[in-house]
Amino acid sequence: MPPAMVCIHHAGELKATDRRRREPARRSCHSTGKVDLVSGSDLYQRLGRHAGTAAIVDDFYRRVLADADLQHYFAGVSMPIQRRHMTAFLITAVGRPETYRGRDLSSAHRGLAVTGSDFEGIAELLGQSLREHEVAEEDVTTVLDRIAALRPQIVQADN
Ligand code: HEM
């Protein structure tokens, strides 16, 4: 049976389990007749929607925690929460309005003294995780460009 139509205005009323079963994007709204181009960005679809992005984030933090230069930043950090926040954050960054409820990035990274080279290291590992999940090179570039734009909020060390 095809999934029921749902418009952008009422999608928030669905239970999470219902939402997972829905087909992506470009549904028209029953009340305005407008086509919904917002709720399912194409890039989000190509990352594999929520489940695909969560798998990329899992792989990413496995790499981070195995990296001798980066793992110390995460000592004492709750990784399940971290993975959840990063997944929501990335989904927002690829254009889908998702409910990222974490702190703003400047506050989250204040006091961590993240260096420029560690920022590059994190971006490199994220690129590896995206490629590992067969994300097209053009899309990897798009995601990494958006991440690079966040640099000033994250790198707060002097070097
Ligand atoms: C590259 C872009 C990055 C993005 C998009 C990003 C995103 C995030 C997000 C969404 C959170 C959760 C905020 C919250 O819990 O409210 C977070 C926390 C954190 N990030 Fe990043 N991050 C980035 C780079 C880095 C880098 C380069 C490092 C260190 C090398 C780092 C270390 C951390 C740590 C340790 C936390 C946990 C802080 C805490 O719980 O007190 N992040 N980051």
Side-chain angles (χ1 to χ4, degrees), residues 131-157:
R131 291 184 184 103
E132 180 70 26
H133 284 78
E134 297 177 354
V135 174
E137 206 49 41
E138 198 186 334
D139 289 335
V140 173
T141 304
T142 302
V143 173
L144 293 184
D145 282 352
R146 290 184 193 179
I147 293 298
L150 304 170
R151 199 177 200 279
Q153 296 174 60
I154 290 162
V155 177
Q156 300 175 20

Side-chain angles (χ1 to χ4, degrees), residues 61 70 73-74 77-78 81-82 85-86 89-90 100-105 108-109 112 114-115 118-120 122-123 126 147 150 154:
Y61 280 121
L70 299 172
Y73 286 101
F74 294 87
V77 172
S78 161
I81 295 173
Q82 182 69 11
H85 280 178
M86 186 60 143
F89 187 88
L90 272 185
Y100 170 64
R101 296 208 175 88
R103 290 164 289 171
D104 72 86
L105 290 194
H109 297 88
L112 293 176
V114 174
T115 64
D118 288 342
F119 180 87
E120 315 306 343
I122 285 267
L126 182 59
I147 293 298
L150 304 170
I154 290 162

